[in-house]
Amino acid sequence: MSPAPRSLTLLGATGSVGSSTLDLVARHRDLFRIEAVTANGDAEGLARIARAFGARFAAVADPAAGPRLAEALSGSGIEAGSGPEAVVDAAARPADLVMAAISGAAGVEPVLAAIGQGTTIALANKESLVAAGAMVMGAARSRGVSILPVDSEHNAVFQALAGSRMEDVETISITASGGPFRTWTAAAIAAARPEDALKHPNYTMGAKVTVDSASLMNKGLELIEAHHLFEVEPARLKALVHPQQVVHGMVAFRDGSVVAQLGPADMRVPIAHCLGFPGRIDGPSARLDLAALGILTFEEPDLLRFPCLRLAIEAMEAGGRAPTVLNAANEVAVEAFLARRIGFGAIAAIVSDTLDALGAGQAPATMGDLRFVDHAARDRARSSLLRLAAPAS
Ligand code: NDP
């Protein structure tokens, strides 16, 4: 007799990671059952998903989208909720696995709620570890909850570590495509427009993470994520530009061995690893053909042309509340850039100004601390946005 399907709650179901996860679930209906799904404002998209996968509960974070969700689910027997607290309720429902794929610091509270229930987390929402790494990892440790990394680089490192002792690890390297501006001059990067930044060379992702990839802030956020996930100090963490994005992460050990994970640039690979863990499930991605690829190249990231990466590394080294402030300021700046209120070059300037003003201090230890620091940083970033921003063309 085959085992009962595992129950899965999907936070951020309407997004890019959410869609890739649902693609896998649709191929493995015998293995997974969807318990709850959430979105922000896309009530109709969420209702379609909830109906198609027979979810028991669906929630939108935006209260204004609540009536549309209730309407779209009427007659389905699926319970509907709205407001940020309904998303937290979704995360706290009994499930075998919660896929945390909300974008931004809005993901922290649902992740903590799922950990509080002792539910294993597949974590895509890197901002929750950047903004609240000590809180999230502390809660996971005290509840004995496993956090499985979905981010392809961290998933690669997790696989390369395979339970090794951290004292045997010399360095952990995560790779970056280098983004669409890898070969651009500093002046051209500073003047880049949203349509330029949204052209990721290898992946199709949500807008925020795509802009972060173009500024290399994404790699900085990922270094901070790795620092918390693997409990490794900043000096042992490295970012390496690797335009082909075939090697996603590697671990160098004290005996001189380097263990790397390779795979196609398809998020369904790390997601499938998390869904199947500790086993494996069939994945649909195109298989790697190294002979066809021929050459893999690597280069050091340029911290002068990509100041966001430098700022993130400095925030990681400073610790305390600096990463929380960095993350909040970056979210405000990226949103303003996407709305064409500022140029690309202003993103780093706003983050830098906000860190100078508010970066010193203790890491948030409670949701109250986190809200306080996050709001203060967003306010400061908004005011520096007005002062520093050159209007975008
Ligand atoms: P998307 O922008 O595509 O999707 C974000 C999801 O979160 C949507 O379902 C959105 O709902 C929901 N959401 C947005 N804001 C809120 C909020 N305030 N409260 C509740 N839900 C909200 O993002 P991605 O899927 O690209 O990324 C998700 C996370 O995964 C990010 O942290 C990203 O850094 C990380 N990640 C993404 C990768 C990728 O390939 N996309 C790769 C590795 C990591 P709605 O549709 O209603 O707006």
Side-chain angles (χ1 to χ4, degrees):
M1 202 177 78
S2 52
R6 297 173 69 212
S7 55
L8 173 66
T9 284
L10 182 46
L11 309 174
T14 49
S16 164
V17 171
S19 304
S20 295
T21 306
L22 290 168
D23 178 83
L24 288 164
V25 170
R27 294 166 194 271
H28 294 286
R29 296 241 186 204
D30 52 326
L31 298 181
F32 303 102
R33 168 182 81 68
I34 298 290
E35 171 65 25
V37 287
T38 76
N40 187 27
D42 184 2
E44 291 75 17
L46 187 70
R48 269 194 302 279
I49 291 167
R51 284 176 180 271
F53 287 86
R56 295 179 180 172
F57 182 61
V60 278
D62 179 359
R68 286 189 281 119
L69 180 65
E71 166 71 24
L73 286 177
S74 74
S76 68
I78 301 166
E79 197 187 332
S82 67
E85 60 293 341
V87 174
V88 170
D89 290 346
R93 289 170 78 95
D96 295 312
L97 184 69
V98 165
M99 169 62 70
I102 289 174
S103 64
V108 175
E109 211 167 345
V111 163
L112 286 172
I115 292 174
Q117 294 302 314
T119 312
T120 302
I121 312 282
L123 188 77
N125 174 231
K126 62 194 78 177
E127 294 91 344
S128 63
L129 283 184
V130 175
M135 274 166 66
V136 169
M137 293 309 292
R141 263 192 304 277
S142 68
R143 283 296 267 127
V145 163
S146 303
I147 299 201
L148 306 174
V150 171
D151 227 340
S152 54
E153 297 78 3
H154 304 75
N155 186 269
V157 170
F158 182 70
Q159 294 196 48
L161 280 169
S164 301
R165 298 180 311 177
M166 287 312 291
E167 64 261 36
D168 293 335
V169 171
E170 267 178 5
T171 56
I172 289 178
S173 299
I174 57 173
T175 59
S177 69
F181 308 144
R182 183 172 65 87
T183 57
W184 289 30
T185 63
I189 295 172
R193 298 156 305 164
E195 51 274 33
D196 304 317
L198 288 172
K199 278 185 205 138
H200 192 280
N202 303 326
Y203 283 100
T204 305
M205 309 183 284
K208 198 270 181 177
V209 62
T210 308
V211 173
D212 286 346
S213 297
S215 68
L216 293 199
M217 177 60 92
N218 184 50
K219 219 38 57 181
L221 300 180
E222 288 180 1
L223 287 171
I224 300 171
E225 182 184 7
H227 165 59
H228 290 291
L229 262 179
F230 305 118
E231 296 180 72
V232 58
E233 66 276 21
R236 285 198 284 169
L237 288 169
K238 305 210 175 312
L240 205 50
V241 173
H242 168 43
Q244 299 82 13
Q245 281 197 298
V246 167
V247 176
H248 299 283
M250 42 197 149
V251 180
F253 291 96
R254 64 202 289 183
D255 59 5
S257 298
V258 179
V259 180
Q261 185 262 4
L262 283 67
D266 182 337
M267 279 306 292
R268 292 175 301 178
V269 176
I271 294 170
H273 178 257
C274 291
L275 292 180
F277 189 82
R280 300 265 178 181
I281 60 172
D282 291 340
S285 64
R287 279 11 187 187
L288 261 192
D289 182 345
L290 287 174
L293 272 163
I295 293 173
L296 301 181
T297 59
F298 299 88
E299 58 197 66
E300 292 287 342
D302 181 343
L303 300 185
L304 290 176
R305 283 185 306 129
F306 295 98
C308 283
L309 176 56
R310 175 181 54 78
L311 290 167
I313 292 172
E314 287 170 2
M316 170 172 68
E317 289 167 349
R321 60 150 77 164
T324 315
V325 170
L326 169 102
N327 180 65
N330 182 56
E331 285 189 25
V332 169
V334 170
E335 198 182 319
F337 169 69
L338 285 169
R340 298 180 189 276
R341 295 180 57 212
I342 58 169
F344 193 74
I347 296 175
I350 289 164
V351 173
S352 175
D353 174 75
T354 311
L355 276 169
D356 287 347
L358 297 172
Q362 302 238 314
T366 63
M367 269 317 293
D369 288 351
L370 176 63
R371 281 193 204 103
F372 178 80
V373 175
D374 183 84
H375 287 177
R378 281 168 204 266
D379 283 349
R380 171 74 194 199
R382 283 189 199 102
S383 65
S384 77
L385 194 150
L386 295 175
R387 280 184 292 112
L388 291 172
S393 58

